């Protein structure tokens, strides 16, 4: 690794000057258009990306895992994902004079031009589109819960309509050009995540341990218990999913050989992970302690009183998932616009952006309205796509690029993460799929 790098890494690629036209396109694309972010942008973008709807499902995951395994899985996930996030921040600028602004660019460097694309892009798309669908469901469900809590005598309104109301905000917000332009939305979302997490565990403490509380496994059959355990692992994986946008967030931070972007980025990540711990651990442990295996798949559904506080918490969730949806949608917008402008030679402009981004919001809205199985979706997507991109793909890239000595600490650590991540990827979707199948039996479309 050389220390001397060309003076302006942002304006260079593969060591050669970009053409003026290429530079113009890069200045228009969402990920590379802005380089003025501060370290705290990284903090709240990462909090918004990570502390999503997943935190509300953690007490339910604890009820499927039990005290010992539940605490172990939560702590292990926090440590492993912080380690793999550190690796990604380090790898962002490991080639002097070049920045890996997108997850797939790092994949191409590690595995080769074609293979890197095929390994990373499908998984990243499944994660980002999957999260946006789940957030559409969460936003709609929380709006519905807010409405029903505030107005107990009102006529019942279908979840479908609430999802449409939630989606209408995104048709407008999706037109914001890049990460820096959504930093206000993201900051509000990060504050909300801490607020509703505090309400969730605070209200649980206030309710206290229920008189009929049971901590045994919910299911009476062995198969049910095993599948529930698998599903809960997926829910936990879903809760630690910020890695899919971390390089794209780091790309917005200015960088020079003297002041590389990894320092401010890492500072932001550490702050974000402290906030994550403050949200996740109290919610999961206190929620499970208070309600045991009677807890719902969304802790706020279990907490029905005090009414005004639960209504407020649901509104906070809505604001938070508005920000989270945009954070995960931005790399998808970048991929779509890159293909349209660079490969299909459409001219970049407002009209192209309006059509492509509105079409994406409409698609996620339609899929959310059609399949709103919240907990099943969490564990299915959590295991199927989050485990690779969050738990072990960074480790494989690290081994491929840095080639640490066999049986050294780095080599052993990475292989442990890979084995645990692969196990998670294989078993979590099985549990999630079972939940979806069970719910689908009694489900009526667009109800």
């Amino acid at each position: 690794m050389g220390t001397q790098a060309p003076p302006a890494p942002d304006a260079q690629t593969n060591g050669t000057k970009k053409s003026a036209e290429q530079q113009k396109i890069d200045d228009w694309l969402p990920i590379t258009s802005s380089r003025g972010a501060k370290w705290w942008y990284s903090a709240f973008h990462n909090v918004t990306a990570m502390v999503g709807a997943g935190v509300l499902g953690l007490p339910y995951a604890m009820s499927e895992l039990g005290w010992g395994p539940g605490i172990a899985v939560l702590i292990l996930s926090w440590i492993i994902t912080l380690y793999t996030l550190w690796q990604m921040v380090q790898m962002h600028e490991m080639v002097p004079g070049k920045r890996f602004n997108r997850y797939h660019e790092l994949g191409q460097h590690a595995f080769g031009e074609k293979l890197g694309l095929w390994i990373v892009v499908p998984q990243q798309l499944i994660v980002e589109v999957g999260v946006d669908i789940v957030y559409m469901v969460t936003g709609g469900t929380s709006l519905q819960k807010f409405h029903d809590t505030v107005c107990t005598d009102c006529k019942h309104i279908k979840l479908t309509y609430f999802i449409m109301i939630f989606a209408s905000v995104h048709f407008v917000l999706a037109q914001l050009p890049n990460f820096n332009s959504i930093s206000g939305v993201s900051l509000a979302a990060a504050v909300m995540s801490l607020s509703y997490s505090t309400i969730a565990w605070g209200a649980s403490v206030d309710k206290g341990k229920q008189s009929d509380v049971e901590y045994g496994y919910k299911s009476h059959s062995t198969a049910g218990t095993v599948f529930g355990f698998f599903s809960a692992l997926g829910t936990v994986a879903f809760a630690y999913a910020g890695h899919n946008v971390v390089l794209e967030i780091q790309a917005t931070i200015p960088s020079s050989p003297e002041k590389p972007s990894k320092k401010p980025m890492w500072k932001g990540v550490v702050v974000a992970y402290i906030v994550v711990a403050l949200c996740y651990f109290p919610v999961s442990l206190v929620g499970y302690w208070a309600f045991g295996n009677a807890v719902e798949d969304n802790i706020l559904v279990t907490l029905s009183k005090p009414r005004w506080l639960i209504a407020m918490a649901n509104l906070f969730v809505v604001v938070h998932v508005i920000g989270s949806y945009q954070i995960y949608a931005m790399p998808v917008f970048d991929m779509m616009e890159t293909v349209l402008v660079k490969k299909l030679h459409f001219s970049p402009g407002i009209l192209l952006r309006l059509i492509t981004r509105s079409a994406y919001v409409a698609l996620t809205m339609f899929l959310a309205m059609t399949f709103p199985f919240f907990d099943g979706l969490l564990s299915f997507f959590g295991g199927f796509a989050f485990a690779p991109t969050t738990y072990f793909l960074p480790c494989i890239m690290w081994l491929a690029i840095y080639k640490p000595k066999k049986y050294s600490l780095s080599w052993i650590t990475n292989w442990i993460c890979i084995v645990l991540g692969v196990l998670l990827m294989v078993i979590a979707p099985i549990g999630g799929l079972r939940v979806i199948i069970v719910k689908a039996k009694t489900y009526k479309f667009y109800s």
Side-chain angles (χ1 to χ4, degrees):
M1 296 286 295
T3 49
Q4 202 55 41
D10 289 347
Q12 304 218 352
T13 180
N14 296 333
T16 59
K17 285 270 182 193
K18 291 178 183 174
S19 68
E21 195 179 330
Q22 193 68 42
Q23 189 60 47
K24 199 174 152 197
I25 290 171
D26 278 355
D27 289 344
W28 180 78
L29 288 169
I31 304 300
T32 44
S33 63
S34 176
R35 301 283 200 197
K38 305 284 188 286
W39 74 264
W40 53 86
Y41 283 40
S42 139
F44 52 73
H45 281 328
N46 276 298
V47 169
T48 305
M50 224 173 301
V51 187
V55 67
L56 300 172
L58 288 175
Y60 183 79
M62 283 291 295
S63 75
E64 298 278 25
L65 293 167
W67 278 118
I71 293 169
V73 166
L74 277 176
I75 293 171
L76 259 177
S77 289
W78 193 86
I79 294 167
I80 290 172
T81 55
L82 181 60
Y83 172 66
T84 54
L85 199 50
W86 171 80
Q87 287 181 313
M88 293 193 74
V89 170
Q90 293 298 314
M91 290 190 281
H92 181 78
E93 289 168 298
M94 67 185 136
V95 177
K98 183 175 167 67
R99 296 180 72 171
F100 297 111
N101 297 314
R102 299 164 179 89
Y103 204 140
H104 69 81
E105 289 176 9
L106 181 60
Q108 286 173 298
H109 179 73
F111 309 121
E113 284 294 312
K114 274 205 170 143
L115 186 62
L117 268 184
W118 281 107
I119 289 174
V120 176
V121 172
Q123 294 193 62
Q124 202 182 1
L125 276 175
I126 288 169
V127 169
E128 284 157 1
V129 179
V131 169
D132 281 343
I133 294 165
V134 172
Y135 283 169
M136 277 281 180
V137 176
T138 313
T141 310
S142 298
L143 271 178
Q144 187 182 41
K145 185 82 169 52
F146 173 76
H147 171 267
D148 295 349
T149 309
V150 169
C151 185
T152 45
D153 307 324
C154 291
K155 183 173 167 262
H156 175 73
I157 300 173
K158 289 179 180 178
L159 176 61
T160 303
Y161 295 133
F162 283 108
I163 292 174
M164 287 165 89
I165 293 165
F166 180 75
S168 62
V169 179
H170 294 292
F171 283 108
V172 179
L173 287 180
Q175 302 310 316
L176 292 169
N178 53 38
F179 269 119
N180 283 1
S181 63
I182 59 168
S183 54
V185 180
S186 185
L187 175 61
V191 171
M192 291 298 130
S193 64
L194 200 54
S195 308
Y196 69 70
S197 297
T198 308
I199 290 174
W201 68 261
S204 299
V205 168
D206 185 57
K207 279 218 161 180
K209 191 173 172 181
Q210 300 302 290
S211 54
D212 55 349
V213 73
E214 282 181 27
Y215 296 120
Y217 288 115
K218 200 173 300 198
S219 180
H220 299 299
S221 68
T222 311
T225 304
V226 171
F227 281 123
F229 194 93
F230 288 176
S231 177
L233 290 175
T235 305
V236 175
F238 187 97
Y240 290 96
H243 296 53
N244 291 278
V245 289
V246 73
L247 292 177
E248 287 81 353
I249 292 169
Q250 193 169 344
T252 63
I253 295 176
S255 185
S256 66
E258 298 76 40
K259 288 185 177 172
S261 65
K262 63 185 176 187
K263 287 181 181 170
M265 181 67 189
W266 179 242
K267 203 172 170 184
V269 166
V270 170
V271 171
Y273 256 74
I274 292 167
V275 175
V276 165
L278 290 174
C279 292
Y280 285 15
F281 292 106
V283 172
S284 19
L285 302 178
V286 173
Y288 182 46
W289 165 81
F291 302 104
N293 61 18
V295 74
E296 299 274 349
D297 62 358
N298 179 335
I299 181 76
L300 294 181
V301 176
T302 315
L303 295 160
S304 49
K305 286 177 183 155
R307 248 177 52 204
W308 64 272
L309 193 65
I310 303 310
M312 201 163 73
N314 277 288
L315 210 52
F316 288 171
V317 174
V318 173
V319 175
H320 179 250
V321 290
I322 285 172
S324 294
Y325 181 97
Q326 290 300 321
I327 290 278
Y328 279 96
M330 200 57 80
V332 183
F333 296 156
D334 183 76
M335 282 186 209
M336 292 195 299
E337 288 163 16
T338 301
V339 170
L340 289 168
V341 173
K342 290 188 175 178
K343 295 265 193 301
L344 304 174
H345 306 293
F346 279 82
S347 56
I350 293 171
L351 187 65
L352 179 72
R353 207 154 249 182
L354 184 69
I355 294 166
T356 51
R357 295 187 178 194
S358 300
Y360 175 77
V361 174
L363 175 73
T364 52
M365 176 185 78
F366 170 73
L367 290 169
M369 284 168 9
T370 313
F371 309 107
F373 316 111
F374 180 70
D375 53 332
L377 286 172
L378 278 188
S379 53
F380 183 72
F381 284 125
F384 186 60
F386 286 76
T389 52
T390 304
Y391 285 76
F392 67 86
L393 203 52
C395 298
I396 295 173
M397 290 179 181
W398 189 272
L399 291 173
I401 294 163
Y402 288 109
K403 298 181 174 56
K405 212 169 137 208
K406 217 173 182 183
Y407 307 119
S408 64
L409 182 62
S410 170
W411 187 88
I412 292 167
T413 309
N414 283 303
W415 273 108
I416 290 171
C417 295
I418 291 166
V419 170
L420 291 173
V422 171
L423 277 173
L424 191 61
M425 181 185 76
V426 173
I427 62 179
I430 300 169
L433 200 57
R434 181 177 178 270
V435 174
I436 293 170
I437 292 164
V438 169
K439 293 240 170 132
K441 284 178 184 171
T442 54
Y443 177 67
K444 289 187 179 71
F445 278 106
Y446 309 114
S447 56

